[in-house]
């Protein structure tokens, strides 16, 4: 799965297939190596010998090879950075694309385009951004039409079959509502081949919530049929299963809208308890004390906070945010009080593995000693989202968990990973009483402002990478260098010393 960080400037629209760019006759581009299939998110021009630190992933990198000395290493680094394709301009440096570069692109599977001398790089960039905008406009129109059709279907007297019928029509395939045991409740659309139908049923069982830790969505391919399954909220074990002949841009968003609607329509109506818990979350996020909302949010813990941002540059709306919450097994979603398009989801113990109580509690030694830190709910990566997950925490420490989830999300975006989970305190750190550890951290970090402490924490978590820290904090790499230098001065330490780094990391983790 390929993702791009959500921080910094975002592309104006959906990815552009490489084939569409090559079809632009006025550009005169010719693919001479690597695969024909690729999706372009950006266009970047660089004549550096190693542009890796400045790539976000998904780029069509344009270069004339001014500093090209080792084609094999050059291509390997581009692939490691996640570049989508390389456009090599002939003349004035090279009369033809170097054969060693062609062989390296074939070897590493990187599409290589020959750019003629009559085609300026800026013309290629404008063409890509135009194609992006056109694709995004088509996707938005399609998703809007699908949303309206599904909402209309949900208002009909028999809404569940109507929504499935519309979903199958919008995706051009089969939409099935299944029980946890694979029994068909409702279905609509063209039946897939028997082998694909059996594979779809098996995939649905993977996400059916028959056991803790089951993923909430899954995809697979059987021959030319694309399969996907989504667990519906409500605790009934219902699954939406889809089989389509092709996957188009926007399909996941359309499916997410259907998941929200079907979760509301197919599951039993929420009672007063669920309404009270949703209201409690709102009050908590608006500043109420944990003691005030604890009676409404029972059980009191452990709770897990998830921070999420879209990786495609889109702004989450109520439907996409609700779909994410439903797929995580929680209706406690906050998507309206952030300036950075962050969606926050609060996962109650029921969404993960609540500690056993009473007669169901295990004896010590079977799976750990009493007092062992609770494990976080299993939160799988979600296509189109970057996720940061806090460690399980009691309700009284929810604010700290919220901060840790935000830091985990920044780490996920900076390292280009779909999910980063904050882990409970274990190992040697668990041997130190929390109050003593916190007192030591306050004394050690007292000279630092909150901004400097956050920068130092992020820099250490990313192993001292200036560029990825800059991406995570949405600042220039020189700003990171200045802040880290200031930290070293105020603390009077050598940040190149591993012992110093380890002690500071321990202290920063206590905040």
């Amino acid at each position: 799965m390929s993702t791009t960080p959500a921080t910094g400037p975002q592309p104006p629209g959906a990815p552009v297939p490489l084939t569409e760019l090559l079809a632009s006759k006025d550009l005169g581009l010719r693919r001479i190596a690597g695969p024909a299939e690729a999706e372009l998110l950006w266009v970047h021009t660089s004549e550096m010998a190693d542009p890796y630190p400045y790539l976000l992933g998904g780029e069509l990198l344009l270069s004339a090879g001014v500093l090209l000395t080792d084609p094999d290493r050059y291509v390997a680094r581009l692939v490691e950075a996640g570049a989508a394709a390389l456009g090599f301009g002939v003349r004035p440096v090279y009369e033809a694309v170097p054969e060693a570069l062609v062989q390296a692109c074939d070897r590493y599977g990187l599409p290589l385009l020959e750019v003629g001398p009559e085609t300026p790089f800026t013309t290629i960039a404008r063409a890509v951004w135009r194609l992006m905008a056109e694709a995004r406009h088509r996707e938005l129109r399609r998703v809007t039409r699908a949303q309206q059709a599904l909402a209309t279907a949900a208002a009909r007297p028999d809404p569940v079959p109507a929504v499935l019928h519309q979903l199958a029509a919008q995706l051009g395939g089969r939409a099935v509502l299944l029980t946890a045991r694979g029994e068909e409740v409702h279905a609509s659309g063209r039946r897939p081949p028997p082998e694909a139908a059996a594979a779809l049923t098996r995939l649905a069982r993977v996400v059916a919530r028959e056991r803790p830790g089951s993923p909430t969505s899954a995809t697979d391919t059987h021959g030319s049929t694309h399969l996907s399954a989504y667990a519906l909220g409500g605790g009934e074990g219902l699954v939406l299963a889809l089989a389509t002949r092709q996957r188009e841009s926007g399909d996941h968003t359309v499916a997410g809208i259907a998941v929200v609607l079907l979760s509301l329509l197919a599951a039993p109506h929420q009672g007063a308890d669920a309404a009270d818990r949703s209201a409690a979350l709102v009050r908590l996020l608006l500043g109420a004390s944990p003691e005030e909302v604890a009676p409404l949010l029972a059980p009191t813990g452990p709770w897990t906070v998830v921070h999420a941002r879209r990786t495609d540059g889109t702004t989450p709306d109520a439907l996409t945010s609700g779909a994410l919450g439903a797929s995580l097994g929680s209706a406690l979603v906050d998507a309206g009080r952030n300036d950075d398009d962050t969606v926050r989801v609060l996962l109650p113990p029921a969404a993960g593995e609540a500690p056993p109580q009473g007669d169901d509690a295990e004896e010590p030694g079977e799976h750990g000693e009493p007092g062992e830190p609770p494990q976080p709910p299993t939160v799988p990566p979600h296509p189109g989202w970057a996720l940061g997950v806090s460690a399980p925490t009691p309700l009284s420490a929810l604010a700290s968990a919220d901060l840790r989830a935000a830091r985990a999300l920044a780490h996920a975006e900076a390292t280009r990973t779909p999910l980063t989970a904050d882990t409970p305190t274990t190992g040697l750190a668990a041997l130190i009483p929390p109050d003593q550890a916190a007192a030591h951290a306050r004394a050690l970090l007292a000279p630092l402002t909150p901004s400097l402490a956050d920068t130092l924490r992020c820099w250490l978590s990313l192993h001292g990478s200036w560029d990825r820290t800059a991406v995570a904090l949405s600042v220039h790499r020189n700003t990171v260098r200045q802040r880290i230098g200031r930290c070293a001065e105020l603390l009077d330490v050598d940040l190149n010393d591993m012992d110093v780094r380890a002690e500071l990391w321990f202290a920063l983790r206590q905040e």
Side-chain angles (χ1 to χ4, degrees):
M1 181 176 60
S2 175
T3 60
T4 55
T7 55
Q10 297 298 320
V16 172
L18 178 60
T19 52
E20 286 192 17
L21 186 66
L22 292 172
S24 299
K25 301 297 184 182
D26 55 329
L27 297 178
L29 303 177
R30 186 167 67 95
R31 182 178 62 87
I32 58 176
E37 299 295 330
E39 291 189 336
L40 313 178
L41 293 174
W42 319 85
V43 177
H44 182 63
T45 301
S46 175
E47 297 301 341
M48 298 183 65
D50 180 15
Y52 172 91
Y54 301 95
L55 300 182
L56 293 173
E59 291 90 353
L60 166 62
L61 180 67
L62 302 175
S63 174
V66 174
L67 298 179
L68 180 65
T69 57
D70 186 347
D72 189 271
R73 183 179 185 278
Y74 182 77
V75 174
R77 291 286 283 171
L78 293 185
V79 171
E80 184 182 353
L86 171 63
F88 194 87
V90 297
R91 300 182 196 162
V93 182
Y94 288 89
E95 290 298 317
V97 180
E99 182 60 27
L101 186 64
V102 175
Q103 295 176 1
C105 286
D106 271 331
R107 187 161 51 251
Y108 287 99
L110 181 69
L112 175 61
L113 314 182
E114 180 186 68
V115 182
E118 69 283 354
T119 304
F121 285 173
T122 54
T123 301
I124 299 173
R126 283 206 302 257
V128 171
W129 288 78
R130 175 179 55 80
L131 290 171
M132 278 185 178
E134 292 174 355
R136 181 60 176 158
H137 182 63
R138 290 195 301 269
E139 178 185 341
L140 288 175
R141 288 177 57 188
R142 175 173 175 253
V143 170
T144 299
R145 287 196 300 268
Q147 178 179 336
Q148 293 172 344
L150 290 170
T152 300
R156 292 179 179 172
D158 199 3
V160 173
V163 169
L164 289 173
H165 174 75
Q166 271 300 330
L167 182 60
Q170 294 294 330
L171 300 184
R174 178 82 165 172
V176 189
L177 187 64
L178 300 171
T179 66
R181 294 184 298 276
E183 300 166 344
E184 188 175 293
V185 180
H186 296 288
S188 183
R190 182 181 63 253
R191 288 183 178 274
E195 297 82 2
L200 184 62
T201 300
R202 291 193 297 269
L203 187 68
R205 291 197 183 103
V206 171
V207 302
R209 293 182 184 167
E210 295 179 301
R211 62 187 184 279
S214 297
T216 55
S217 63
T219 60
D220 197 4
T221 302
H222 190 280
S224 60
T225 304
H226 298 279
L227 311 176
S228 55
Y230 303 85
L232 301 185
E236 299 300 302
L238 295 176
V239 176
L240 171 63
L242 305 173
T244 58
R245 300 293 295 178
Q246 59 184 358
R247 283 189 180 136
E248 297 182 3
S249 179
D251 280 0
H252 184 69
T253 303
V254 174
I257 296 170
V259 166
V260 174
L261 292 173
L262 291 172
S263 296
L264 296 173
L265 295 171
H269 292 295
Q270 290 186 341
D273 289 347
D276 285 344
R277 287 170 63 154
S278 297
L281 172 68
V282 174
R283 288 186 227 165
L284 190 63
L285 295 177
L286 291 175
S289 67
E291 292 76 14
E292 181 181 346
V293 297
L296 299 176
L297 282 174
T300 58
W303 291 75
T304 301
V305 180
V306 177
H307 278 219
R309 271 197 291 269
R310 296 289 300 175
T311 58
D312 57 6
T314 61
T315 299
D317 55 21
L319 285 171
T320 55
S321 301
L324 176 65
S327 66
L328 291 172
S330 175
L332 305 181
V333 180
D334 172 52
R337 302 182 61 247
N338 306 287
D339 296 327
D340 57 357
D341 297 334
T342 301
V343 176
R344 291 188 288 180
V345 184
L346 192 59
L347 303 185
E353 298 183 24
Q357 302 292 331
D359 295 337
D360 294 330
E362 296 171 346
E363 292 298 324
E366 182 176 357
H367 290 287
E369 295 298 325
E372 181 180 348
Q375 297 303 308
T378 301
V379 178
H382 282 61
W385 294 90
L387 303 179
V389 184
S390 77
T393 183
L395 185 62
S396 59
L398 207 56
S400 176
D402 187 58
L403 180 60
R404 291 182 180 276
R407 292 170 181 166
L409 174 60
H411 190 279
E413 292 177 326
T415 55
R416 305 172 189 172
T417 55
L419 182 146
T420 296
D422 181 57
T423 56
T425 302
T426 57
L428 294 175
L431 301 178
I432 303 176
D435 55 343
Q436 295 182 19
H440 172 73
R442 286 194 297 271
L444 180 62
L445 303 174
L448 302 184
T449 64
S451 176
L452 289 177
D454 284 341
T455 301
L456 181 58
R457 181 186 298 103
C458 185
W459 182 74
L460 289 174
S461 74
L462 295 172
H463 311 291
S465 170
W466 307 109
D467 296 292
R468 294 191 173 182
T469 304
V471 170
L473 299 176
S474 300
V475 298
H476 194 276
R477 67 196 307 267
N478 288 342
T479 301
V480 177
R481 288 184 177 275
Q482 292 169 359
R483 291 181 183 176
I484 296 302
R486 183 60 176 159
C487 289
E489 292 176 5
L490 292 173
L491 298 173
D492 192 22
V493 295
D494 178 9
L495 291 177
N496 292 319
D497 187 322
M498 195 61 203
D499 289 338
V500 171
R501 289 193 182 193
E503 184 174 4
L504 288 173
W505 177 245
F506 172 80
L508 290 163
R509 291 275 293 171
Q510 309 312 308
E511 291 194 328

